Each structure stands twice: as C-alpha cells, then as structure tokens.
Amino acid sequence: MSVFITGLGVTSALGCSYEENLAQLKLGNSGLKEHVLHDSSCIMGCVPKSNLEIVGAFNLSNQAYSRSFLLGLCAAYQARTSVSSKLPSRMGLIVGITVGGMDLTEASYQQYIENKEKLDWLRLRQHPSGMVATQLAQFLEDIKFTNTISTACSSGANAIMHGAKLIEKGKFDCMLVGGVDALTQFTIKGFQSLMLYDKQACKPFDEARNGLNLGEGSAFLLLESERSQRATGNKILAKLVGWANTNDAYHATAPSPVGEGATRAMSAALKMAGIAPEAIGYINAHGTGTLNNDLSESRALLDVFSHQVPPFSSTKSFTGHTLGAAGAIEAAFCVMALQQQQCWANLNFTQPITDTKLTPISILKDAQKLNFVLSNSFGFGGNNTSLVMSL
Amino acid sequence: MMYIEQFAGISYQPPFDVEAPLHRMKPIDNSAAVHEADYQKYIDAQVRRRMSDQIKRGVTCAMRAVEGIDINALHAIFVATGLGCLKDTQQFLQVSLQSKPPSPTAFIQSTHNSIAGQIAIQLQCKGANMTYSQGERSFERAIMDTYLEELQEHQRVLVGAIDERIPFLDQAIIRINPIDQDSIVGAGAFFFLLAPIRTAQSKASLVDCILTSSNQVSECIQIVHRDTPIDLLLYGNYCEAQAQINQNLKHIPSLDFTLYSGQFMVQSAFALDLALKFLEEENIQELQQLCPTIKRLPRRIFILNDTPMGMSGLIVDRI
C-alpha cells in the first residue's frame, strides 16, 4: 500500500517556512552562526524567530511554552494547512523528540538552584517528552491519536516510519509525523562533554572534521493513504516507499566502526522499496561531522552501494544537528530534492576522509532524473533508520 | 492477539526471583523503595559498575524475560518510558547549569533510549529498537506497535516499560497535581516476551489493548464484560475509576493495583506483571489475600488504567 506525502512544514536555522528553507538550500547559505545560549557561546543553528514572535503569531495565551512545542507548532501547522482539503476524521500525530521541554526545565532548575521558593513548578509540566504531542493535538484539534518516539538522533525518522507503518497496515488514513527539538544548554554541554562539539562550523565527511554543531527546529510531513489521497485530491509531493530500523548492539553512543547496523538499515529500506541500490539518485546522509559517525557511515555507504555511491550530502552543515528533529527536517529536504530535481550541497567540505575517499556534493547539483532518494538517521543507543522516498 | 511467554518485573514489591510472589506483596507507604534484584547474576561486574540503577533494572528484567530463548528469534525491542532516566537527567542538569566541566556519563545515560540501547547490547539483539514516551499511554503505545509487526511464528518481541522515582519528582508532583497529595510515586521496570502464536511456553494471551479518551469506566468495562466475563479487574485509580466501580461494578472482584505499585506513567506495566502472577497462582487463597471477593481462579483479567489522558485497558486471558 502506498504512503503519500502530501503536506510539509519545516522550521530550522534556514527559516520558518518551506520556501525560506528551500531558498537557503538553493543559495548554499548555512544557518550556522555563533550564538550565546546562557553561558555557552558556540556555533549553532538557531531558528530565526523568538518564542514571543511565535506566541504572537499563533495568538497563544499568556503562559510559558517550551520552545520545543513552539517550534513544533510552526512546522506542524504549516504541514497541516499546506493542504487545502478536509482530511479524514481520524488523524494521528507522531512526534520524534529527545529532550522534551528541557529548555523550560533548565530555566526552572536554575531557579531551584538559586532559590527554591522562586521556582515556578508548573513549568515542569512541559518536561515530559510526550507533552509536545499532547499540546500539538490540543492546538490542532483534529488529532485523534498521539504518540511520541524518543530514540535520540533518529527520533524524527522513526516517527515518520511509525506513521507510515500505521497507514500501511490500514490503521489510519492520515498521519502528521515529524520531529522537534529546541537548543538547550543540556544538550550543548552534553555534546561538549563528549568532545563531539566542533568550535567551528561542522565539516561533514571531511578528513579534518572535528565534531558537530547543534541546531534546533522541527519538520512535519502529512502522510496519506491512497484512499485518503483519492478522497482529498491533495497533491502528492512524494511517496514514502521504504523504511527500516536496526540496532548496532555495539556501544551506548558510538556507531559500529564498520557501519554494520547502518548497512542493514539502508539495505532493508531499499529491499522494502523494491529497488536496486543504483536507483537511488541522492542520499541525505546522517553526516554529523563527528569522527566516528562519518567514517562509519562512509563505510556503510561503500558497502551498500558497492563502491558506486550516489551523490550524497549532509545538510547538517546548513542546519546543525537538530537531534529529534533531524530525521524529519532531512526527510523534508529529500522531498524538496525530489520536487526540485536538485541535490543539496554538503558545505565546508575540502578533503575526503583518507580511509574511504568519498566525496560528497559540495555545491548544489541539478539532477538528471531524480526518482528515488534515501535519508539516513542514526542515533545514540546504536539506533539506525533509513527512509526511501520517491517521486 | 499476542501470547506472553516470559516476564519479569522490578518494583516496590519483591522482585521476580522469589517464591510465592503474591503472598509477599504488601501495600506500600511513602517509605517504599524499589526491591532490587540480584544484578550480579545478570550483568557483568565491569559493565554493571557504569550503569545507572534504572538501566540495571531494565537490562536485568529484559534478560530474565528472554532467558533460554534463541536470541536470533528476537525480532524487536520496544521500551516505554514516561520520564526517561530522571536521575541522570537531574545529575547532568545540575552540573551543566553550574558551569562545572561535566562528565558525559550522566548525559549518555539520560537519553530516553539508553535503556533500550543497553538491552540491545547485552542481548546482542540487532533488530528494531524503539522507545515510546507518550505520557500515561507510553506502555500501551509500545504494545500496540507489537500488534503492527508481521511476526513469523518463531519470532518474538520484547516489550517493556520503565520509570524511576527521584526526590525532585516527588516534590514536583505534589505541586503540579494538587489532587494527588496522597498518592505515592511509583517506579519500576517490567518486561514481557511476546509471541504471535500460542506455544507450550505461553503463559497468557494479551487479547486486546483498548484506549478511549473518555473516563466512563463502567461503560468500557461492560463492553468487555459482555463478551467474556471479567473475573478480576485490576484498576489504576486516577480520579474516576474507584467511585464508578463502587457504584456500578461491585459484582466484579477488583483491586486497585496502585496501592502496591504507586502511581507512575507506566503503571499499567506493573499491572500486567501482577495479572500474570495472578494467572500463575493455583491457590485461590493466595489470590484472596489481595482480593477477598475473588471466588475462583481467574480466566480473564481486565487491567483498567484511568489516567489524565483517558482510559486504557488491557485484556489478559488464561491459556
């Protein structure tokens, strides 16, 4: 059974709409900049809209909202309203997220450390990861089912996969699926403590790569079954034709050095799509810019594509690593690639990794005929997800 | 329909490896502490030293629940958690806000899927690995995903739920949910090995998972009851359940399981573990200690979880 992608919403360091993100991808302009978040000053990918601006734009009541919810709302609302027709009454929502309302939690916890009496405990209600989905469902009104998946950096891709499975099995005709995460001190300090945070802009797949930069954002895809799409007549932007999730069972944070789980995820997603590896015209790689990921992913690419690796890039050089949102934002960029028949650049690349000698696309590339694209999302806990999309 | 072959739980009640577990159960009070299992039997000393308590609990229950099976048949690991690894989260938060150079261990273990990831490593299970975190519905979401899997006869799915209690959570809940002043915060880890077909190892069948957004307890129970009589109702009381049960459903033997588990987001997993213990017990007097109105060994147990998100129900049948 086909799963159609008919709606799309994206919010990232590149902008707060489909059009803004697309324009920056085409121009090759990165959204990564030096910013200060509390006492951390580093290169990150901030969404160019404040919480106040988002609260104002959606006429929300005067209370504290987690930035995760607000970013999610921007993207989910775009995806939901990008289709004009009335949707089936039973629509599900799945959110991929890693740290929930941590931005509010850390502000509250700071108060707690300074003076317990001053702490606004109610803000902690937005801490649980599932709250963003609950809040989005309240705002969007026609959501009848919510779920939240938290598998670190593959959360967004897994949310999409799970939504596609529910449609494929006939449980739902329409799903709003995606991911979200806001920048927090917690995650920035976390990756810094792991020595994985590059002080400069990240250089995915470059021999001189030295880690990642975090970003924030959200993307949501509206998935429809054939039956739903026939009834709504919504324009098909792309189809989701293959997906797979595997586990390395190797290490808590590091990927298998030979990309074993990644190889299996890509191969299984291709098999499900019923296509040979050479049918893939563009790969949006996980490509965090860390020493381990890029080497292991390169080896997996060589393995799956038998040394004939299709054009690939990591758009984290534009957005930063948006954690729970990454898989969803990158799936959205894949839909844009299919729509535009263009492959996005991998910025800051100069020299291939000595071991694997793979060269990503370093400038925007027009595709001859882009029919199938692959998006990789890997995460802590050895979690690997690959999605295959087609025109 | 799925079949439960093996299970293990760690909670405020005696852990999985004791004799006569029902006999040893006691209602909890505020001094309740998790009854830890003998982790050294399951996890290598070097690995164990680095693990948080919560991860030790999860890994141990998972290992116990898959004991003796061919690990190649383990198709997927699905874990539910409402709040993830709170202790590590708080620890890393505290240090990172005070600008001390933090150690990464707490950050690594704070990630929600660190439990499922560690289980995969310890079991060497390379199949699908998911972590669900949808508040009070997290465990039901994990179970529902197993129903989506097209399992071959020999394949198994390990489904579990886990949450922990820290003093800060106690303080927060009292202030966030003023109606819950008397409730005790629960904690624990619970894992179940599910099979798509009935085998000689089947202990019970998980007939269905029902979710509604309403809190009409009696309506929901009557629908289930009409089909096959419910012999025991295990309910988690959030606000409505008890009053409605007292009013309309006195004829069904029932037990508020949260008196034994405390209240927490994945408490229905405790109830499933308890239901399976009820089904394993052949001595009716043991059952009557916990539920005096029960007259015969139950065939069908209905777990009703009344939560702020609405109700969820799990139907468990004797094999």
Side-chain angles (χ1 to χ4, degrees):
Chain A
M1 187 189 279
S2 293
V3 178
F4 297 127
I5 302 168
T6 57
L8 202 57
V10 198
T11 300
S12 78
L14 299 184
C16 293
S17 67
Y18 181 102
E19 293 74 20
E20 284 172 28
N21 276 269
L22 181 59
Q24 299 307 316
L25 284 172
K26 285 188 179 241
L27 290 167
N29 288 340
S30 173
L32 291 173
K33 288 189 184 72
E34 178 101 21
H35 287 281
V36 178
L37 190 74
H38 308 284
D39 64 346
S40 303
S41 170
C42 50
I43 305 265
M44 51 184 114
C46 294
V47 169
K49 246 189 197 162
S50 70
N51 286 1
L52 267 179
E53 285 174 294
I54 303 172
V55 167
F58 285 97
N59 250 329
L60 298 176
S61 64
N62 185 23
Q63 67 162 82
Y65 294 96
S66 75
R67 187 158 173 82
S68 312
F69 163 64
L70 295 173
L71 297 178
L73 180 58
C74 290
Y77 186 78
Q78 279 171 54
R80 177 67 189 86
T81 53
S82 65
V83 291
S84 51
S85 304
K86 196 168 159 36
L87 292 167
S89 56
R90 249 179 88 69
M91 177 160 66
L93 169 74
I94 306 181
V95 177
I97 191 166
T98 69
V99 287
M102 180 57 83
D103 58 307
L104 276 187
T105 304
E106 61 190 16
S108 304
Y109 205 81
Q110 184 75 53
Q111 289 177 332
Y112 180 78
I113 291 170
E114 286 162 8
N115 177 0
K116 286 179 191 172
E117 302 308 313
K118 273 172 53 190
L119 175 56
D120 179 0
W121 291 89
L122 288 183
R123 288 184 176 203
L124 294 169
R125 278 160 73 162
Q126 293 179 61
H127 175 79
S129 290
M131 269 308 282
V132 170
T134 303
Q135 288 173 296
L136 286 176
Q138 281 162 1
F139 188 87
L140 296 170
E141 290 178 347
D142 50 3
I143 304 291
K144 299 285 184 264
F145 167 95
T146 54
N147 196 2
T148 297
I149 290 184
S150 191
T151 54
C153 310
S154 54
S155 304
N158 282 331
I160 294 171
M161 180 181 85
H162 195 50
K165 263 163 69 176
L166 286 166
I167 289 183
E168 192 206 19
K169 306 284 181 208
K171 302 286 179 196
F172 283 87
D173 278 318
C174 191
M175 296 291 305
L176 192 56
V177 292
V180 59
D181 257 317
L183 279 163
T184 65
Q185 285 195 83
F186 187 91
T187 42
I188 290 174
K189 294 251 171 91
F191 283 97
Q192 284 174 342
S193 74
L194 283 159
M195 308 293 199
L196 293 176
Y197 207 107
D198 197 336
K199 291 194 172 72
Q200 295 162 340
C202 63
K203 299 178 274 292
F205 296 104
D206 193 283
E207 174 67 11
R209 71 199 179 283
N210 194 25
L212 52 76
N213 315 119
L214 288 186
E216 63 180 356
S218 176
F220 278 90
L221 277 58
L222 192 76
L223 306 180
E224 284 187 79
S225 67
E226 279 179 70
R227 184 172 58 183
S228 169
Q229 191 277 333
R230 260 201 314 274
T232 60
N234 286 325
K235 185 184 168 199
I236 299 166
L237 302 176
K239 293 176 204 156
L240 200 52
V241 292
W243 53 80
N245 172 261
T246 67
N247 197 280
D248 281 345
Y250 171 75
H251 186 270
T253 55
S256 138
V258 291
E260 193 262 335
T263 299
R264 281 187 294 114
M266 284 188 270
S267 303
L270 290 169
K271 187 177 169 203
M272 180 183 169
I275 56 170
E278 51 269 28
I280 295 289
Y282 167 64
I283 301 167
N284 190 302
H286 185 56
T288 55
T290 63
L291 295 177
N292 279 339
N293 175 80
D294 294 8
L295 180 58
S296 136
E297 187 172 9
S298 296
R299 286 176 174 154
L301 289 171
L302 288 168
D303 211 359
V304 173
F305 293 94
S306 311
H307 294 259
Q308 298 287 310
V309 180
F312 73 99
S313 66
S314 164
T315 47
K316 289 187 176 71
S317 54
F318 285 86
T319 60
H321 188 353
T322 56
L323 302 178
I329 290 176
E330 289 158 25
F333 289 174
C334 282
V335 175
M336 292 178 185
L338 287 166
Q339 285 279 306
Q340 303 293 317
Q341 292 289 299
Q342 284 179 316
C343 307
W344 314 123
N346 186 108
L347 305 176
N348 312 324
F349 176 85
T350 47
Q351 199 189 345
I353 298 170
T354 315
D355 277 18
T356 50
K357 299 187 180 55
L358 283 181
T359 300
I361 319 157
S362 53
I363 53 166
L364 180 74
K365 184 178 183 312
D366 288 325
Q368 294 302 326
K369 193 159 181 6
L370 198 55
N371 284 326
F372 291 94
V373 299
L374 174 78
S375 179
N376 282 340
S377 297
F378 310 140
F380 279 9
N383 207 288
N384 310 292
T385 299
S386 295
L387 304 173
V388 178
M389 285 157 270
S390 75
L391 258 188
Chain B
M1 177 97 79
M2 298 286 282
Y3 295 86
I4 301 172
E5 294 192 330
Q6 304 192 99
F7 66 102
I10 292 173
S11 67
Y12 296 148
Q13 300 301 329
F16 51 77
D17 43 9
V18 298
E19 293 283 312
L22 292 181
H23 192 77
R24 291 162 195 266
M25 283 183 59
K26 293 205 168 52
I28 54 163
D29 58 30
N30 234 321
S31 65
V34 170
H35 269 250
E36 308 291 354
D38 187 3
Y39 299 122
Q40 56 188 359
K41 270 169 53 185
Y42 295 90
I43 315 167
D44 175 70
Q46 218 180 337
V47 180
R48 202 173 65 236
R49 213 171 32 242
R50 284 195 297 264
M51 281 182 177
S52 68
D53 289 345
Q54 156 118 315
I55 292 180
K56 271 188 261 183
R57 289 173 199 149
V59 166
T60 301
C61 287
M63 292 179 85
R64 172 72 178 208
V66 301
E67 223 162 46
I69 74 156
D70 170 13
I71 217 68
N72 293 316
L74 190 58
H75 173 75
I77 297 171
F78 295 152
V79 176
T81 180
L83 292 167
C85 301
L86 278 182
K87 197 171 162 191
D88 283 302
T89 304
Q90 187 187 19
Q91 193 183 332
F92 194 78
L93 192 56
Q94 178 95 27
V95 182
S96 68
L97 290 176
Q98 291 175 330
S99 298
K100 291 178 200 152
S103 129
T105 310
F107 178 66
I108 294 167
Q109 297 199 138
S110 75
T111 315
H112 278 32
N113 71 327
S114 60
I115 305 154
Q118 269 301 335
I119 293 171
I121 294 173
Q122 297 308 317
L123 301 181
Q124 279 300 297
C125 172
K126 300 186 173 192
N129 191 284
M130 276 308 138
T131 298
Y132 306 85
S133 187
Q134 191 55 58
E136 290 82 359
R137 288 276 164 93
S138 304
F139 182 53
E140 285 73 10
R141 292 288 181 262
I143 286 185
M144 285 172 76
D145 204 13
T146 64
Y147 285 109
L148 290 182
E149 295 295 313
E150 278 169 13
L151 296 178
Q152 293 169 22
E153 289 191 358
H154 73 284
Q155 289 181 316
R156 300 290 177 266
V157 176
L158 179 65
V159 183
I162 186 161
D163 261 316
E164 69 183 331
R165 178 190 192 184
I166 56 171
F168 187 80
L169 179 65
D170 279 17
Q171 295 177 45
I173 285 180
I174 288 170
R175 289 164 174 96
I176 291 171
N177 288 337
I179 57 163
D180 274 358
Q181 292 293 326
D182 300 329
S183 74
I184 296 165
V185 179
F190 312 91
F191 280 80
F192 309 90
L193 185 68
L194 301 188
I197 55 153
R198 183 176 167 168
T199 68
Q201 282 74 43
S202 301
K203 290 207 163 77
S205 57
L206 192 51
V207 179
D208 205 357
C209 175
I210 300 165
L211 298 168
T212 85
S213 54
S214 97
N215 286 83
Q216 284 309 307
V217 176
S218 45
E219 216 171 273
C220 176
I221 290 174
Q222 272 154 6
I223 293 167
V224 180
H225 200 59
R226 200 177 305 149
D227 177 26
T228 308
I230 298 167
D231 299 316
L232 176 63
L233 173 65
L234 297 176
Y235 66 95
N237 187 27
Y238 176 68
C239 52
E240 296 279 327
Q242 184 146 30
Q244 292 190 34
I245 288 164
N246 289 346
Q247 203 178 342
N248 301 319
L249 299 156
K250 277 192 210 135
H251 57 290
I252 305 176
S254 62
L255 172 68
D256 177 357
F257 68 82
T258 59
L259 297 174
Y260 297 87
S261 65
Q263 291 191 1
F264 58 120
M265 285 182 170
V266 296
Q267 63 190 29
S268 51
F270 172 91
L272 180 56
D273 183 90
L274 179 59
L276 294 166
K277 286 175 180 149
F278 266 101
L279 292 176
E280 275 190 335
E281 180 57 63
E282 296 292 332
N283 181 353
I284 187 77
Q285 281 154 358
E286 292 290 329
L287 272 52
Q288 284 166 339
Q289 280 207 349
L290 294 174
C291 180
T293 54
I294 199 161
K295 296 285 181 288
R296 58 174 174 141
L297 294 177
R299 290 200 52 75
R300 168 162 289 193
I301 300 179
F302 186 54
I303 296 165
L304 177 89
N305 199 20
D306 180 22
T307 79
M309 293 181 77
M311 285 189 318
S312 61
L314 293 171
I315 304 173
V316 192
D317 276 4
R318 181 181 292 272
I319 285 292

